[in-house]
Amino acid sequence: MNRFDIVIVGGGIAGASLGAELAGKASVLILEREDSAGYHATGRSVAFWEETYGGRMVQPLTTASGPLLRSPAPDFSPRSFLSPRRTLHIGRAGDEAARDRLMEEFSDHVELRPVDPAALLPGLRPQWILGLLEPAVCDIDVAALHQAYLRRFRARGGELRVGLSLESAGRGPAGWRIQTSEGAIDCGILVNAAGAWADDVAQRSGVAPIGITPMRRTVVQLRVPAMPSADLPLVMDLSARFYFKAAGEGRLWLTPHDEEPSPPCDAAPEELAVAEAIARFQEAVDWPVEAVERKWAGLRSFAPDRAPVLGFDAHTPAFFWFAGQGGFGIQTAPAAALLGASLLTGEAADDAVAGIEATAYSPRRFG
């Protein structure tokens, strides 16, 4: 079959979650250019569910996703995708304004509790005197979530084709004709869920790009035998220079919180970013680093205002944007998929997202 109601370009968490909500209501195909879905940003995420992460534009989607991740429907997953973590935001003298902004921005929606950071983080260096605890934060089982969405997608009749890239697309009287590396595919609605390649897919489809920029984020896995325990909170610098979290006994994942503009690509870590990450970590705690065991990088893709882009293009009929999820696409996936499906089909929004103002995420905001 080479005619579908909807074709989704991109099989990461964005495309898989939206496809799972649309399949069964229409014939849906997901096109994935790699040999396996979720190879890029989804497969490299250090994912957690944190309501303050991404700012107030993102928070409604994160908050609405929490119950769906914590207590999924039995036919979707037999267990929760979340496990308790907590976040400890730490700062030094001079970071008071950042702490106060965080509290002011989120105090009406998120529990944030001033604490003595040294009491929660043994080995913290004495200059780190500011602490805010965000107790509701959880880790996300990314692989399980992504696979659950792909299973639901297939169970509802959706089709996934991997190793197949969109080369061009154009509109005709009957809808879209997509030229791929293996021939033509026709559809009524074309969905751009291509992550770092979102603007490229738009241009290949004759649609004006909206300025979605891929940003490289570096992560290293350190062996730290002196780390006090494996259930430490996620530790985030109030000045956004690093964060780290335990990844098992004596191991942690660390990032220098870098956001370097990058062309869409198979991202690789740069040695300078790895060195900066370790230096910033050692400024914060006195735990010796025994080894760098792994290092990797992924691309986080942001619209100009850093909010997700969900909705039909302002100028091209039947071209639907589902992109710009930045570094928060996994923690917002359940709500974003429900909201996106509602916008695409015109059906009433699911109760879980009925209170979210969808126009805030419309591509029409870019004129």
PDB file of all heavy atoms in Angstrom, residues 208-237:
ATOM      1  N   ALA A 208       7.894  26.831   3.879  1.00  0.00           N
ATOM      2  CA  ALA A 208       8.880  27.727   4.469  1.00  0.00           C
ATOM      3  C   ALA A 208       9.319  27.216   5.831  1.00  0.00           C
ATOM      4  O   ALA A 208       8.478  26.871   6.671  1.00  0.00           O
ATOM      5  CB  ALA A 208       8.297  29.127   4.611  1.00  0.00           C
ATOM      6  N   PRO A 209      10.627  27.151   6.099  1.00  0.00           N
ATOM      7  CA  PRO A 209      11.096  26.744   7.435  1.00  0.00           C
ATOM      8  C   PRO A 209      10.736  27.805   8.463  1.00  0.00           C
ATOM      9  O   PRO A 209      10.496  28.967   8.123  1.00  0.00           O
ATOM     10  CB  PRO A 209      12.603  26.622   7.259  1.00  0.00           C
ATOM     11  CG  PRO A 209      12.931  27.527   6.113  1.00  0.00           C
ATOM     12  CD  PRO A 209      11.737  27.487   5.195  1.00  0.00           C
ATOM     13  N   ILE A 210      10.698  27.392   9.732  1.00  0.00           N
ATOM     14  CA  ILE A 210      10.343  28.349  10.787  1.00  0.00           C
ATOM     15  C   ILE A 210      11.500  28.611  11.740  1.00  0.00           C
ATOM     16  O   ILE A 210      11.330  29.279  12.753  1.00  0.00           O
ATOM     17  CB  ILE A 210       9.084  27.911  11.559  1.00  0.00           C
ATOM     18  CG1 ILE A 210       9.277  26.549  12.194  1.00  0.00           C
ATOM     19  CG2 ILE A 210       7.879  27.913  10.653  1.00  0.00           C
ATOM     20  CD1 ILE A 210       8.073  26.104  13.000  1.00  0.00           C
ATOM     21  N   GLY A 211      12.674  28.102  11.412  1.00  0.00           N
ATOM     22  CA  GLY A 211      13.846  28.406  12.226  1.00  0.00           C
ATOM     23  C   GLY A 211      14.078  27.436  13.361  1.00  0.00           C
ATOM     24  O   GLY A 211      14.564  27.838  14.425  1.00  0.00           O
ATOM     25  N   ILE A 212      13.744  26.170  13.168  1.00  0.00           N
ATOM     26  CA  ILE A 212      14.029  25.160  14.193  1.00  0.00           C
ATOM     27  C   ILE A 212      15.510  24.808  14.109  1.00  0.00           C
ATOM     28  O   ILE A 212      15.998  24.346  13.075  1.00  0.00           O
ATOM     29  CB  ILE A 212      13.137  23.923  14.019  1.00  0.00           C
ATOM     30  CG1 ILE A 212      11.692  24.298  14.320  1.00  0.00           C
ATOM     31  CG2 ILE A 212      13.612  22.783  14.911  1.00  0.00           C
ATOM     32  CD1 ILE A 212      10.708  23.176  14.181  1.00  0.00           C
ATOM     33  N   THR A 213      16.218  25.046  15.200  1.00  0.00           N
ATOM     34  CA  THR A 213      17.675  24.915  15.227  1.00  0.00           C
ATOM     35  C   THR A 213      18.098  23.732  16.081  1.00  0.00           C
ATOM     36  O   THR A 213      17.765  23.667  17.261  1.00  0.00           O
ATOM     37  CB  THR A 213      18.322  26.191  15.797  1.00  0.00           C
ATOM     38  OG1 THR A 213      17.899  27.315  15.017  1.00  0.00           O
ATOM     39  CG2 THR A 213      19.843  26.096  15.776  1.00  0.00           C
ATOM     40  N   PRO A 214      18.845  22.771  15.517  1.00  0.00           N
ATOM     41  CA  PRO A 214      19.406  21.690  16.334  1.00  0.00           C
ATOM     42  C   PRO A 214      20.549  22.216  17.207  1.00  0.00           C
ATOM     43  O   PRO A 214      21.379  23.007  16.748  1.00  0.00           O
ATOM     44  CB  PRO A 214      19.925  20.685  15.306  1.00  0.00           C
ATOM     45  CG  PRO A 214      19.322  21.094  13.991  1.00  0.00           C
ATOM     46  CD  PRO A 214      19.111  22.568  14.088  1.00  0.00           C
ATOM     47  N   MET A 215      20.575  21.764  18.455  1.00  0.00           N
ATOM     48  CA  MET A 215      21.625  22.143  19.403  1.00  0.00           C
ATOM     49  C   MET A 215      22.245  20.873  19.981  1.00  0.00           C
ATOM     50  O   MET A 215      21.525  19.982  20.457  1.00  0.00           O
ATOM     51  CB  MET A 215      21.041  22.968  20.554  1.00  0.00           C
ATOM     52  CG  MET A 215      20.319  24.220  20.124  1.00  0.00           C
ATOM     53  SD  MET A 215      21.480  25.547  19.799  1.00  0.00           S
ATOM     54  CE  MET A 215      20.362  26.955  19.767  1.00  0.00           C
ATOM     55  N   ARG A 216      23.570  20.816  19.968  1.00  0.00           N
ATOM     56  CA  ARG A 216      24.259  19.638  20.494  1.00  0.00           C
ATOM     57  C   ARG A 216      24.301  19.666  22.015  1.00  0.00           C
ATOM     58  O   ARG A 216      24.633  20.671  22.628  1.00  0.00           O
ATOM     59  CB  ARG A 216      25.685  19.550  19.936  1.00  0.00           C
ATOM     60  CG  ARG A 216      26.377  18.227  20.257  1.00  0.00           C
ATOM     61  CD  ARG A 216      27.813  18.191  19.770  1.00  0.00           C
ATOM     62  NE  ARG A 216      28.638  19.151  20.500  1.00  0.00           N
ATOM     63  CZ  ARG A 216      29.191  20.223  19.961  1.00  0.00           C
ATOM     64  NH1 ARG A 216      28.994  20.503  18.673  1.00  0.00           N
ATOM     65  NH2 ARG A 216      29.928  21.049  20.688  1.00  0.00           N
ATOM     66  N   ARG A 217      23.961  18.536  22.627  1.00  0.00           N
ATOM     67  CA  ARG A 217      24.079  18.350  24.076  1.00  0.00           C
ATOM     68  C   ARG A 217      25.004  17.159  24.323  1.00  0.00           C
ATOM     69  O   ARG A 217      24.795  16.068  23.784  1.00  0.00           O
ATOM     70  CB  ARG A 217      22.694  18.111  24.678  1.00  0.00           C
ATOM     71  CG  ARG A 217      22.644  17.665  26.143  1.00  0.00           C
ATOM     72  CD  ARG A 217      23.244  18.642  27.119  1.00  0.00           C
ATOM     73  NE  ARG A 217      22.757  20.007  26.998  1.00  0.00           N
ATOM     74  CZ  ARG A 217      21.682  20.490  27.621  1.00  0.00           C
ATOM     75  NH1 ARG A 217      20.974  19.707  28.406  1.00  0.00           N
ATOM     76  NH2 ARG A 217      21.337  21.764  27.476  1.00  0.00           N
ATOM     77  N   THR A 218      26.045  17.374  25.122  1.00  0.00           N
ATOM     78  CA  THR A 218      27.054  16.359  25.414  1.00  0.00           C
ATOM     79  C   THR A 218      26.765  15.693  26.755  1.00  0.00           C
ATOM     80  O   THR A 218      26.380  16.366  27.712  1.00  0.00           O
ATOM     81  CB  THR A 218      28.450  16.999  25.465  1.00  0.00           C
ATOM     82  OG1 THR A 218      28.683  17.698  24.237  1.00  0.00           O
ATOM     83  CG2 THR A 218      29.536  15.956  25.674  1.00  0.00           C
ATOM     84  N   VAL A 219      26.973  14.389  26.827  1.00  0.00           N
ATOM     85  CA  VAL A 219      26.799  13.641  28.069  1.00  0.00           C
ATOM     86  C   VAL A 219      27.988  12.710  28.248  1.00  0.00           C
ATOM     87  O   VAL A 219      28.478  12.112  27.276  1.00  0.00           O
ATOM     88  CB  VAL A 219      25.500  12.807  28.055  1.00  0.00           C
ATOM     89  CG1 VAL A 219      25.297  12.115  29.405  1.00  0.00           C
ATOM     90  CG2 VAL A 219      24.289  13.672  27.715  1.00  0.00           C
ATOM     91  N   VAL A 220      28.472  12.603  29.479  1.00  0.00           N
ATOM     92  CA  VAL A 220      29.530  11.649  29.797  1.00  0.00           C
ATOM     93  C   VAL A 220      29.085  10.771  30.955  1.00  0.00           C
ATOM     94  O   VAL A 220      28.346  11.211  31.840  1.00  0.00           O
ATOM     95  CB  VAL A 220      30.864  12.351  30.152  1.00  0.00           C
ATOM     96  CG1 VAL A 220      31.395  13.102  28.956  1.00  0.00           C
ATOM     97  CG2 VAL A 220      30.709  13.278  31.331  1.00  0.00           C
ATOM     98  N   GLN A 221      29.501   9.538  30.915  1.00  0.00           N
ATOM     99  CA  GLN A 221      29.285   8.623  32.043  1.00  0.00           C
ATOM    100  C   GLN A 221      30.589   8.487  32.799  1.00  0.00           C
ATOM    101  O   GLN A 221      31.610   8.069  32.237  1.00  0.00           O
ATOM    102  CB  GLN A 221      28.812   7.253  31.559  1.00  0.00           C
ATOM    103  CG  GLN A 221      28.609   6.250  32.707  1.00  0.00           C
ATOM    104  CD  GLN A 221      28.011   4.953  32.237  1.00  0.00           C
ATOM    105  OE1 GLN A 221      26.931   4.929  31.656  1.00  0.00           O
ATOM    106  NE2 GLN A 221      28.706   3.833  32.478  1.00  0.00           N
ATOM    107  N   LEU A 222      30.569   8.858  34.072  1.00  0.00           N
ATOM    108  CA  LEU A 222      31.759   8.808  34.913  1.00  0.00           C
ATOM    109  C   LEU A 222      31.662   7.670  35.917  1.00  0.00           C
ATOM    110  O   LEU A 222      30.561   7.364  36.424  1.00  0.00           O
ATOM    111  CB  LEU A 222      31.915  10.121  35.688  1.00  0.00           C
ATOM    112  CG  LEU A 222      32.009  11.414  34.885  1.00  0.00           C
ATOM    113  CD1 LEU A 222      32.179  12.596  35.833  1.00  0.00           C
ATOM    114  CD2 LEU A 222      33.144  11.360  33.879  1.00  0.00           C
ATOM    115  N   ARG A 223      32.806   7.071  36.212  1.00  0.00           N
ATOM    116  CA  ARG A 223      32.882   6.137  37.336  1.00  0.00           C
ATOM    117  C   ARG A 223      33.411   6.920  38.528  1.00  0.00           C
ATOM    118  O   ARG A 223      34.515   7.469  38.500  1.00  0.00           O
ATOM    119  CB  ARG A 223      33.780   4.949  37.007  1.00  0.00           C
ATOM    120  CG  ARG A 223      33.769   3.891  38.113  1.00  0.00           C
ATOM    121  CD  ARG A 223      34.297   2.557  37.651  1.00  0.00           C
ATOM    122  NE  ARG A 223      35.739   2.583  37.432  1.00  0.00           N
ATOM    123  CZ  ARG A 223      36.322   2.438  36.257  1.00  0.00           C
ATOM    124  NH1 ARG A 223      35.602   2.279  35.167  1.00  0.00           N
ATOM    125  NH2 ARG A 223      37.641   2.458  36.148  1.00  0.00           N
ATOM    126  N   VAL A 224      32.597   6.984  39.574  1.00  0.00           N
ATOM    127  CA  VAL A 224      32.899   7.800  40.757  1.00  0.00           C
ATOM    128  C   VAL A 224      32.686   6.925  41.994  1.00  0.00           C
ATOM    129  O   VAL A 224      31.608   6.955  42.599  1.00  0.00           O
ATOM    130  CB  VAL A 224      32.004   9.054  40.803  1.00  0.00           C
ATOM    131  CG1 VAL A 224      32.431   9.975  41.931  1.00  0.00           C
ATOM    132  CG2 VAL A 224      32.028   9.805  39.484  1.00  0.00           C
ATOM    133  N   PRO A 225      33.668   6.143  42.387  1.00  0.00           N
ATOM    134  CA  PRO A 225      33.472   5.210  43.506  1.00  0.00           C
ATOM    135  C   PRO A 225      33.077   5.894  44.811  1.00  0.00           C
ATOM    136  O   PRO A 225      32.424   5.279  45.655  1.00  0.00           O
ATOM    137  CB  PRO A 225      34.833   4.520  43.629  1.00  0.00           C
ATOM    138  CG  PRO A 225      35.461   4.672  42.286  1.00  0.00           C
ATOM    139  CD  PRO A 225      34.993   5.985  41.769  1.00  0.00           C
ATOM    140  N   ALA A 226      33.471   7.168  44.988  1.00  0.00           N
ATOM    141  CA  ALA A 226      33.157   7.863  46.242  1.00  0.00           C
ATOM    142  C   ALA A 226      31.742   8.445  46.264  1.00  0.00           C
ATOM    143  O   ALA A 226      31.352   9.041  47.268  1.00  0.00           O
ATOM    144  CB  ALA A 226      34.172   8.985  46.469  1.00  0.00           C
ATOM    145  N   MET A 227      30.994   8.297  45.185  1.00  0.00           N
ATOM    146  CA  MET A 227      29.633   8.824  45.162  1.00  0.00           C
ATOM    147  C   MET A 227      28.829   8.197  46.294  1.00  0.00           C
ATOM    148  O   MET A 227      28.815   6.970  46.440  1.00  0.00           O
ATOM    149  CB  MET A 227      28.983   8.512  43.815  1.00  0.00           C
ATOM    150  CG  MET A 227      27.662   9.201  43.593  1.00  0.00           C
ATOM    151  SD  MET A 227      26.996   8.878  41.940  1.00  0.00           S
ATOM    152  CE  MET A 227      26.451   7.177  42.117  1.00  0.00           C
ATOM    153  N   PRO A 228      28.151   9.011  47.115  1.00  0.00           N
ATOM    154  CA  PRO A 228      27.550   8.483  48.342  1.00  0.00           C
ATOM    155  C   PRO A 228      26.499   7.392  48.127  1.00  0.00           C
ATOM    156  O   PRO A 228      26.445   6.437  48.889  1.00  0.00           O
ATOM    157  CB  PRO A 228      26.924   9.720  48.989  1.00  0.00           C
ATOM    158  CG  PRO A 228      27.679  10.873  48.425  1.00  0.00           C
ATOM    159  CD  PRO A 228      28.051  10.475  47.048  1.00  0.00           C
ATOM    160  N   SER A 229      25.639   7.522  47.107  1.00  0.00           N
ATOM    161  CA  SER A 229      24.598   6.509  46.907  1.00  0.00           C
ATOM    162  C   SER A 229      24.050   6.634  45.499  1.00  0.00           C
ATOM    163  O   SER A 229      24.283   7.632  44.798  1.00  0.00           O
ATOM    164  CB  SER A 229      23.463   6.674  47.918  1.00  0.00           C
ATOM    165  OG  SER A 229      22.712   7.840  47.634  1.00  0.00           O
ATOM    166  N   ALA A 230      23.297   5.619  45.089  1.00  0.00           N
ATOM    167  CA  ALA A 230      22.723   5.603  43.742  1.00  0.00           C
ATOM    168  C   ALA A 230      21.366   6.280  43.675  1.00  0.00           C
ATOM    169  O   ALA A 230      20.788   6.372  42.591  1.00  0.00           O
ATOM    170  CB  ALA A 230      22.602   4.160  43.249  1.00  0.00           C
ATOM    171  N   ASP A 231      20.834   6.716  44.811  1.00  0.00           N
ATOM    172  CA  ASP A 231      19.516   7.365  44.778  1.00  0.00           C
ATOM    173  C   ASP A 231      19.603   8.854  45.103  1.00  0.00           C
ATOM    174  O   ASP A 231      18.653   9.457  45.593  1.00  0.00           O
ATOM    175  CB  ASP A 231      18.543   6.670  45.730  1.00  0.00           C
ATOM    176  CG  ASP A 231      18.991   6.750  47.184  1.00  0.00           C
ATOM    177  OD1 ASP A 231      20.117   7.206  47.437  1.00  0.00           O
ATOM    178  OD2 ASP A 231      18.192   6.339  48.050  1.00  0.00           O
ATOM    179  N   LEU A 232      20.754   9.458  44.822  1.00  0.00           N
ATOM    180  CA  LEU A 232      20.893  10.903  44.998  1.00  0.00           C
ATOM    181  C   LEU A 232      19.909  11.639  44.099  1.00  0.00           C
ATOM    182  O   LEU A 232      19.500  11.125  43.052  1.00  0.00           O
ATOM    183  CB  LEU A 232      22.307  11.337  44.633  1.00  0.00           C
ATOM    184  CG  LEU A 232      23.419  10.941  45.595  1.00  0.00           C
ATOM    185  CD1 LEU A 232      24.763  11.209  44.929  1.00  0.00           C
ATOM    186  CD2 LEU A 232      23.304  11.725  46.890  1.00  0.00           C
ATOM    187  N   PRO A 233      19.520  12.850  44.457  1.00  0.00           N
ATOM    188  CA  PRO A 233      18.706  13.646  43.539  1.00  0.00           C
ATOM    189  C   PRO A 233      19.474  14.001  42.271  1.00  0.00           C
ATOM    190  O   PRO A 233      20.709  13.983  42.259  1.00  0.00           O
ATOM    191  CB  PRO A 233      18.370  14.911  44.339  1.00  0.00           C
ATOM    192  CG  PRO A 233      19.103  14.838  45.614  1.00  0.00           C
ATOM    193  CD  PRO A 233      19.815  13.536  45.707  1.00  0.00           C
ATOM    194  N   LEU A 234      18.750  14.289  41.225  1.00  0.00           N
ATOM    195  CA  LEU A 234      19.320  14.964  40.072  1.00  0.00           C
ATOM    196  C   LEU A 234      19.813  16.324  40.547  1.00  0.00           C
ATOM    197  O   LEU A 234      19.089  17.053  41.217  1.00  0.00           O
ATOM    198  CB  LEU A 234      18.233  15.130  39.006  1.00  0.00           C
ATOM    199  CG  LEU A 234      18.500  16.037  37.819  1.00  0.00           C
ATOM    200  CD1 LEU A 234      19.582  15.462  36.926  1.00  0.00           C
ATOM    201  CD2 LEU A 234      17.225  16.256  37.020  1.00  0.00           C
ATOM    202  N   VAL A 235      21.051  16.669  40.223  1.00  0.00           N
ATOM    203  CA  VAL A 235      21.659  17.911  40.699  1.00  0.00           C
ATOM    204  C   VAL A 235      21.784  18.864  39.523  1.00  0.00           C
ATOM    205  O   VAL A 235      22.443  18.557  38.523  1.00  0.00           O
ATOM    206  CB  VAL A 235      23.038  17.655  41.332  1.00  0.00           C
ATOM    207  CG1 VAL A 235      23.681  18.974  41.773  1.00  0.00           C
ATOM    208  CG2 VAL A 235      22.908  16.697  42.518  1.00  0.00           C
ATOM    209  N   MET A 236      21.150  20.043  39.630  1.00  0.00           N
ATOM    210  CA  MET A 236      21.153  21.027  38.555  1.00  0.00           C
ATOM    211  C   MET A 236      21.715  22.346  39.069  1.00  0.00           C
ATOM    212  O   MET A 236      21.301  22.833  40.125  1.00  0.00           O
ATOM    213  CB  MET A 236      19.745  21.251  38.000  1.00  0.00           C
ATOM    214  CG  MET A 236      19.090  19.995  37.474  1.00  0.00           C
ATOM    215  SD  MET A 236      17.650  20.329  36.439  1.00  0.00           S
ATOM    216  CE  MET A 236      18.442  20.704  34.880  1.00  0.00           C
ATOM    217  N   ASP A 237      22.642  22.895  38.321  1.00  0.00           N
ATOM    218  CA  ASP A 237      23.220  24.190  38.644  1.00  0.00           C
ATOM    219  C   ASP A 237      22.209  25.288  38.311  1.00  0.00           C
ATOM    220  O   ASP A 237      21.677  25.337  37.191  1.00  0.00           O
ATOM    221  CB  ASP A 237      24.501  24.359  37.817  1.00  0.00           C
ATOM    222  CG  ASP A 237      25.157  25.712  37.990  1.00  0.00           C
ATOM    223  OD1 ASP A 237      24.863  26.401  38.990  1.00  0.00           O
ATOM    224  OD2 ASP A 237      25.969  26.074  37.113  1.00  0.00           O
TER     225      ASP A 237
END
